Amino acid sequence: MSLARFRTLVSGGLSALLLLFGAAVAQAQTGTITGTVTAAGDVGGALEGARVTVLGTNNATFTNREGVYTLRNVNPGTVQVRVVRLGFDQATQTVTVVAGTQATANFQLTASPFTLDEIVTTATGDTRKAELGNVVNVIQVDDLAKEAPIKNMSELLVSRAPGVTVIQSAGTTGAGTRIRIRGANSVSLSNEPLLVIDGIRAESGAASSTLGTGGQSPSRINDINPDEIASIEIVKGPSAAALYGTAAANGVILITTKRGSAGRPRWNAWTEQGALDDDNDYEINFSPLRAGGSPGQICRLDQVAVGTCTISRVAQFNPFLDEVESPLGTGYRRQYGLSVSGGSEQAQYFLSAEQEWEDGVFDMPEAEEARILAESGRSRLRDVEKTPNRIRKTNLRANVTAQASSKTQVNVSAGFIDSKLDLPENDNNVLGILSSGLNGRGDPSVGPGLWGFFRPGETFNSGNQQRTRRLTLSGQANYTPTSWLTGRAVVGVDYTNRVDRATQFFGEGPNFGTLRQGQISENDRNILQYSVDLGGTATFQLTDDITSKTTGGAQWFRSSFRGTNSFGQFLPPGSQTLGSGSTQFASETTTETITLGFFGEQVFGYKDRLFLTGAIRADRNSAVGENFGVKYYPKAAISYLISDESWFPTGKLLTSLRLRGAWGKSGLQPGTTAALVFFDATTAAVADGSDAAALVLAGLGNPALKPETTREWELGFDANFLDSRVAVEVTTFNKKSSDALINVPVAPSGGFPAARFANLGSVTNEGIEVTLNGQIFTGQTLSWDATVTGSFSRNRLKSLGGVAPINLNGTTQRAVEGLPLGGYFARSIRPFTDTDGDGLVDPSEISIEDTLSFQGNSAPTRELSLATGVNLFSSKIRISSQWDYRQGHLLYNLNEDFRCRSSQNCAGVADINSPLSDQIRAVAVNAGLVGGLATNDGFLEDAEFLKLREVAVTLFAPDSWTRALRTDRLSLTLSGRNLWTDTNYSGLDPELNGQGNGNFAIREFLTQPPPKQYSARLNIGF
């Protein structure tokens, strides 16, 4: 489509939208319906937050704290009123409305833990879950928060929904998270999901740092405070996310923050105190001392095997367990928060404030502190030197809902975050704490000594700090001029300012390169995400049996990034400023992308049991090539409550059954500059020997570049059994990404950049997801519930469009047609025979394949989790736990690879009692021992694991206590996290990733493992 035609489409769409909003015609006088909604039976009490709707219209409202609702502007006549609330069966009444009068309809809802009637958020507005043809996983954060403290989004999302893989890169305080929903779609682009907070798009960078600390970096999704969140909805694939357009192929995470309700002010205060304990099994450093050799000379096992030397003794040392040397201490966590909500029928509010402090487990050893003070002549160390890993965070939120008129409602949300994060040196980093600890020796006489590179006090002296200030603002206006028409306008901005500062003062820190001569770097990032969403929905009762809901709208999104880098080196003594460096450097980067899209959706309902949906979105994106026009994303879905048919046999065994299916497309935009020809500034020597400003071609561009497109179909069913005590949700999906961006090499002889992107590849993902919820036992004294989620998935790179296999992480992880993206590759070790039977590995006994071959997946293919809880004594005590199992993948143990190959201090090199498998891999990885054809095959280990993620006990105060203290609610939660792991993986932890939150690269390399976390949280409501 030409640009001119697209402009015509835009103009026509806006005109139609304006006509739709202007369709408010003169109405006859209307009436009002009011009433109360309460829980039936033993549950009893008013139900706050129930949604009350006049069927066949857009007229809806929510009950207040007393369970009271009021529906205004109801057309005269006989209408059906439906009430829906999470945890209860829906209820419907027929009400007769007379113009100018008020009718009454009271409801009692029956408790049902598993219902399809909950309201979920879609691109076209709120919708009953029963009407959707695709699965949407809903996480009710309030319910989880009652069971155990949740400190960040990573903990909130992990193992909560099938098909959603959350990989926490490390145990470092402030370390980030990688999220995959139904696998990886793209070879070259990000595979992270889209993040939407209160209707606007938000920054969710998985690796948000320029600090050179190694692989561990923070994620912006962890900025968000779980205590401010009401619910999270996970929209999994293009069949569900089609109307989100050119950004949503990886799925969407929708966050809704808390709102107030009418009634007196309700205050909530909480405090959390906790400890972090690192008792991981760090590897021992070995030194096999040579018999008759000079001091510090070693004799390896392979040398013993061929008779070139003998071992007199094997020295062992573990600096992480030594009382004097260990840099590990006890980390502490503190949190204080206060919120208040309330309001009138015309305006409601929710306000909250929270402060959080967490100190990581690294702690300056006393002997190191004394040594540094004596050498420097200082009287005290800086706090950050004593504790190089910590975070200080403040969260503020203000949400207001106002009924501006009988037809207009306005919601305003504002959230502010101010965080200060100190990160230690770690991962693939010669200055890292673990680098020196794991690559030291068992004897101080063996170079370089007990610590491999630098002592803890030296590495602690390198300061790395990230300061983040983030403001998220959104406003939404809902206008209902008639009972059948509703207009929606959402506008907002998410602004993140991030400053990364690394400091090394003159004369301090590691004696490495020019570090001790002092240097400072400061990199400033400003990220702005602007969102505008306009839409209108018309709802009609076409016949007694058929309803129609038509939605149209437009969305505009702009992402702006501006970054500056500055660096000063060779600082004078005592200086702490950039400008004092004798060598300075600065650079600047600015990028911007804009997306404009129009969408329409039509839903037909038949007898409130069969729902057919068709939709389409048209997008224009600034990052595509100039020869590409508009991209269309269609969608179709069906949902059928077959158990509502009179002929369908239901009973106590099978209570209800819904069949569903969906098909749709979504996309991913190319990189901001991938389609452009652009230049970079440089300097060039001129004839007189001086330098002059110049330009070099930095990008070839591709005018035909277009978005990657992912189509998906999913089929599934939802069923309730045993009087709705057990609910099963099963979904099978199949995704195919086409026009995947591949970096195509360009002949270097032309003097151009080495490669440019083209739409050549395709990737598939398929699998099955299962959720099982069960009320195993219910009673006043004892009740027991459990949720089991599981998934199986398969990822394949179908085509690279004729391009040779791509190395994604050296040759260890590659993109090869017909195999999983990011799969592990190595030269296989042929079957081994200990020919002389001496229990030692002679290098001549090892044979290695001469070509690389696929070894296994880097991402789990099978996942299973269990969350279960027991309520005791009328729910005054709640005991809960969370278990997690993953299987079908490998993890590259580069820790042991490096220790065996370079440091030569691993058990397979030094310990005569080590198994043959450890000796084999230690020999095979050393090229000098196996004829130059080395392999890391032995270090690609099965990473299957079972983890006890969490155990928590919550004690709710008796009613007599709350009355005496004049509180509404009082509870104490004691919890532990990362408590136990069962795995055959020999490294520190099977979930570690020394390359942080990258797209595919994953390996354990000198990465801090997760500590155990213990906490106590006191909640008070009044």
Side-chain angles (χ1 to χ4, degrees):
M1 178 182 290
S2 67
L3 184 59
R5 188 176 176 186
F6 181 73
R7 287 172 177 163
T8 302
L9 176 65
V10 171
S11 176
L14 288 174
S15 299
L17 198 60
L18 290 173
L19 287 173
L20 184 64
F21 276 90
V25 295
Q27 304 176 67
Q29 190 177 11
T30 59
T32 301
I33 302 175
T34 188
T36 59
V37 180
T38 57
D42 295 334
V43 178
L47 292 179
E48 177 185 356
R51 183 182 174 92
V52 188
T53 307
V54 178
L55 292 184
T57 75
N58 291 327
N59 198 343
T61 189
F62 290 91
T63 56
N64 64 16
R65 198 169 294 166
E66 286 71 41
V68 177
Y69 74 91
T70 301
L71 287 166
R72 298 180 175 85
N73 302 315
V74 182
N75 288 334
T78 300
V79 298
Q80 295 286 314
V81 178
R82 177 167 58 202
V83 179
V84 173
R85 191 185 186 279
L86 184 65
F88 292 83
D89 285 333
Q90 71 164 21
T92 304
Q93 282 191 39
T94 300
V95 181
T96 301
V97 178
V98 178
T101 65
Q102 177 175 290
T104 301
N106 298 321
F107 294 84
Q108 279 196 330
L109 304 187
T110 303
S112 177
F114 317 115
T115 175
L116 293 173
D117 294 317
E118 64 181 307
I119 304 299
V120 296
T121 304
T122 69
T124 56
D126 292 344
T127 303
R128 263 200 322 155
K129 195 173 183 179
E131 299 177 17
L132 299 177
N134 54 270
V135 65
V136 174
N137 294 117
V138 181
I139 302 173
Q140 295 296 334
V141 181
D142 271 347
D143 294 341
L144 293 177
K146 294 174 183 176
E147 295 188 356
I150 300 170
K151 74 176 185 179
N152 57 39
M153 282 289 293
S154 300
E155 291 186 0
L156 187 55
L157 293 173
V158 67
S159 303
R160 305 293 185 188
V164 180
T165 303
V166 179
I167 302 173
Q168 296 172 284
S169 61
T172 306
T173 290
T177 300
R178 184 169 68 179
I179 301 173
R180 296 291 179 268
I181 299 178
R182 291 181 175 173
N185 297 313
S186 179
V187 179
S188 306
L189 301 178
S190 170
N191 286 287
E192 296 292 322
L194 178 69
L195 178 65
V196 176
I197 302 175
D198 289 335
I200 66 168
R201 294 194 194 180
E203 165 66 7
S204 60
S208 183
S209 174
T210 60
L211 294 169
T213 57
Q216 299 174 35
S217 60
S219 300
R220 294 279 66 90
I221 196 169
N222 280 337
D223 290 340
I224 304 163
N225 179 15
D227 287 304
E228 298 174 355
I229 300 174
S231 67
I232 298 174
E233 295 165 24
I234 300 175
V235 180
K236 289 188 173 177
S239 61
L243 297 188
Y244 288 94
T246 311
N250 299 325
V252 185
I253 296 177
L254 302 169
I255 293 176
T256 302
T257 59
K258 294 179 179 178
R259 299 278 168 185
S261 59
R264 65 174 180 82
R266 176 180 289 179
W267 294 85
N268 286 282
W270 61 93
T271 179
E272 180 183 333
Q273 307 291 319
L276 288 74
D277 178 33
D278 187 345
D279 66 348
N280 289 281
D281 294 327
Y282 287 92
E283 289 91 346
I284 297 171
N285 296 332
F286 293 93
S287 289
L289 299 177
R290 182 186 293 256
S294 57
Q297 192 174 9
I298 67 170
C299 175
R300 303 188 310 268
L301 291 180
D302 62 271
Q303 294 173 312
V304 175
V306 298
T308 58
C309 65
T310 59
I311 297 173
S312 62
R313 70 182 179 91
V314 178
Q316 303 180 23
F317 185 71
N318 190 329
F320 297 103
L321 296 181
D322 187 83
E323 291 184 1
V324 176
E325 295 283 346
S326 178
L328 298 177
T330 300
Y332 295 98
R333 174 176 173 78
R334 303 175 300 283
Q335 188 180 64
Y336 304 93
L338 180 68
S339 70
V340 59
S341 63
S344 64
E345 294 295 332
Q346 287 70 42
Q348 302 87 44
Y349 59 86
F350 171 81
L351 307 173
S352 76
E354 183 178 270
Q355 282 201 312
E356 172 188 340
W357 298 263
E358 182 173 298
D359 296 336
V361 297
F362 288 128
D363 188 25
M364 177 75 79
E366 290 184 6
E368 281 287 275
E369 181 175 355
R371 181 184 62 81
I372 293 171
L373 292 177
E375 290 179 357
S376 65
R378 290 187 282 162
S379 60
R380 62 180 298 273
L381 297 181
R382 292 180 291 272
D383 289 343
V384 72
E385 290 180 82
K386 295 182 179 181
T387 309
N389 182 206
R390 57 186 183 177
I391 190 169
R392 307 288 186 263
K393 184 188 290 187
T394 300
N395 292 276
L396 302 173
R397 175 159 293 279
N399 292 348
V400 177
T401 301
Q403 195 71 38
S405 70
S406 61
K407 299 178 181 180
T408 306
Q409 185 187 68
V410 177
N411 298 318
V412 178
S413 299
F416 177 72
I417 299 156
D418 185 357
S419 73
K420 181 180 177 182
L421 172 66
D422 292 299
L423 286 171
E425 302 281 353
N426 253 332
D427 301 297
N428 184 13
N429 183 349
V430 71
L431 305 179
I433 301 166
L434 270 69
S435 303
S436 288
L438 293 173
N439 290 285
R441 301 298 184 264
D443 188 279
S445 66
V446 182
L450 295 178
W451 287 92
F453 306 109
F454 302 103
R455 299 185 62 81
E458 295 173 302
T459 62
F460 281 19
N461 190 266
S462 298
N464 298 282
Q465 184 181 97
Q466 181 176 101
R467 183 70 181 269
T468 303
R469 297 178 177 90
R470 181 170 182 176
L471 178 65
T472 304
L473 293 171
S474 70
Q476 177 172 337
N478 298 313
Y479 177 55
T480 308
T482 72
S483 61
W484 55 269
L485 179 64
T486 295
R488 182 187 77 246
V490 183
V491 296
V493 61
D494 180 43
Y495 169 63
T496 303
N497 171 249
R498 193 189 84 214
V499 179
D500 299 334
R501 185 179 176 90
T503 306
Q504 185 66 68
F505 297 121
F506 178 87
E508 299 181 16
N511 187 15
F512 180 71
T514 60
L515 277 182
R516 289 183 68 86
Q517 297 181 46
Q519 63 182 40
I520 298 176
S521 68
E522 184 166 296
N523 303 327
D524 196 332
R525 299 291 184 265
N526 289 282
I527 306 169
L528 281 152
Q529 311 259 26
Y530 302 93
S531 299
V532 177
D533 183 354
L534 304 175
T537 299
T539 303
F540 301 99
Q541 189 78 39
L542 299 179
T543 70
D544 289 342
D545 295 332
I546 299 176
T547 59
S548 168
K549 183 168 70 172
T550 305
T551 303
Q555 293 180 343
W556 177 85
F557 172 70
R558 176 190 172 200
S559 175
S560 173
F561 173 91
R562 184 175 183 273
T564 58
N565 299 329
S566 54
F567 177 73
Q569 193 176 20
F570 306 120
L571 307 178
S575 172
Q576 300 185 25
T577 62
L578 274 164
S580 63
S582 61
T583 299
Q584 299 178 22
F585 168 81
S587 64
E588 182 178 359
T589 302
T590 302
T591 60
E592 179 181 272
T593 59
I594 297 174
T595 301
L596 176 63
F598 293 88
F599 61 88
E601 181 181 72
Q602 176 63 51
V603 181
F604 289 109
Y606 175 71
K607 290 188 174 180
D608 206 30
R609 68 189 62 160
L610 176 64
F611 302 93
L612 302 175
T613 301
I616 191 166
R617 173 169 173 138
D619 261 10
R620 176 76 175 182
N621 183 271
S622 65
V624 300
E626 61 183 8
N627 295 343
F628 184 79
V630 178
K631 183 68 178 179
Y632 295 94
Y633 301 108
K635 169 187 174 180
I638 182 172
S639 174
Y640 184 24
L641 291 163
I642 191 171
S643 58
D644 283 2
E645 298 288 359
S646 59
W647 47 264
F648 190 87
T650 57
K652 289 188 176 182
L653 178 61
L654 177 60
T655 311
S656 66
L657 175 65
R658 176 172 76 121
L659 308 178
R660 50 182 167 77
W663 172 90
K665 291 184 177 182
S666 189
L668 291 175
Q669 71 177 40
T672 306
T673 58
L676 300 177
V677 177
F678 65 96
F679 297 84
D680 273 349
T682 187
T683 57
V686 294
D688 62 1
S690 62
D691 290 337
L695 294 175
V696 293
L697 183 64
L700 285 174
N702 183 348
L705 207 64
K706 53 188 174 182
E708 295 188 359
T709 302
T710 303
R711 72 100 183 104
E712 179 189 55
W713 58 259
E714 70 170 63
L715 299 171
F717 69 87
D718 307 312
N720 284 358
F721 298 92
L722 303 176
D723 282 337
S724 294
R725 289 177 55 191
V726 177
V728 178
E729 184 181 85
V730 178
T731 304
T732 181
F733 67 89
N734 182 289
K735 291 195 297 182
K736 182 176 182 181
S737 297
S738 304
D739 297 325
L741 293 181
I742 305 297
N743 216 11
V744 181
V746 176
S749 58
F752 299 122
R756 74 170 184 174
F757 282 105
N759 297 98
L760 298 175
S762 63
V763 180
T764 62
N765 287 276
E766 57 186 352
I768 186 168
E769 302 163 351
V770 178
T771 299
L772 173 65
N773 290 299
Q775 293 287 335
I776 301 171
F777 183 81
T778 57
Q780 286 294 317
T781 304
L782 170 68
S783 63
W784 180 15
D785 59 83
T787 298
V788 178
T789 63
S791 66
F792 167 78
S793 61
R794 188 175 73 168
N795 170 270
R796 289 292 182 270
L797 173 61
K798 301 299 289 186
S799 174
L800 280 171
V803 175
I806 300 171
N807 292 335
L808 300 174
N809 188 17
T811 58
T812 304
Q813 287 181 267
R814 313 183 77 203
V816 177
E817 290 183 351
L819 294 171
L821 278 170
Y824 285 118
F825 288 78
R827 295 181 178 92
S828 297
I829 302 172
R830 295 186 178 120
F832 173 83
T833 301
D834 184 11
T835 54
D836 55 13
D838 63 354
L840 296 174
V841 176
D842 184 328
S844 65
E845 297 172 325
I846 291 180
S847 179
I848 300 172
E849 300 287 347
D850 58 5
T851 58
L852 295 171
S853 61
F854 176 68
Q855 302 296 319
N857 290 276
S858 61
T861 58
R862 290 172 285 277
E863 299 182 337
L864 188 68
S865 68
L866 167 66
T868 184
V870 175
N871 296 317
L872 302 173
F873 310 116
S874 300
S875 298
K876 291 302 182 182
I877 299 177
R878 169 78 174 175
I879 304 172
S880 62
S881 65
Q882 184 185 22
W883 301 76
D884 196 9
Y885 172 76
R886 297 183 191 177
Q887 194 258 347
H889 65 301
L890 307 177
L891 180 60
Y892 181 19
N893 188 350
L894 185 51
N895 263 4
E896 281 300 279
D897 177 324
F898 189 80
R899 281 159 46 85
C900 293
R901 171 169 40 89
S902 298
S903 299
Q904 299 190 353
N905 66 345
C906 72
V909 165
D911 184 5
I912 200 167
N913 297 312
S914 62
L916 281 175
S917 58
D918 283 359
Q919 296 183 49
I920 291 167
R921 68 181 188 175
V923 172
V925 80
N926 282 283
L929 300 178
V930 287
L933 199 64
T935 181
N936 57 4
D937 176 26
F939 299 96
L940 299 176
E941 300 186 36
D942 184 355
E944 177 184 11
F945 68 81
L946 172 66
K947 284 197 174 192
L948 176 55
R949 294 272 185 204
E950 187 175 76
V951 172
V953 178
T954 301
L955 309 174
F956 297 92
D959 294 341
S960 59
W961 290 23
T962 59
R963 286 193 298 268
L965 296 171
R966 297 184 180 180
T967 64
D968 295 332
R969 300 165 306 283
L970 178 63
S971 66
L972 174 66
T973 299
L974 307 174
S975 70
R977 194 166 181 85
N978 299 322
L979 298 178
W980 176 78
T981 301
D982 181 36
T983 181
N984 290 325
Y985 177 71
S986 68
L988 290 173
D989 189 274
E991 288 188 286
L992 288 180
N993 184 12
Q995 293 189 264
N997 312 317
N999 214 10
F1000 293 105
I1002 182 168
R1003 64 191 187 188
E1004 182 194 347
F1005 191 39
L1006 310 173
T1007 305
Q1008 183 184 345
K1012 290 182 172 62
Q1013 301 175 29
Y1014 304 96
S1015 66
R1017 180 177 174 117
L1018 180 67
N1019 291 284
I1020 305 173
F1022 51 93

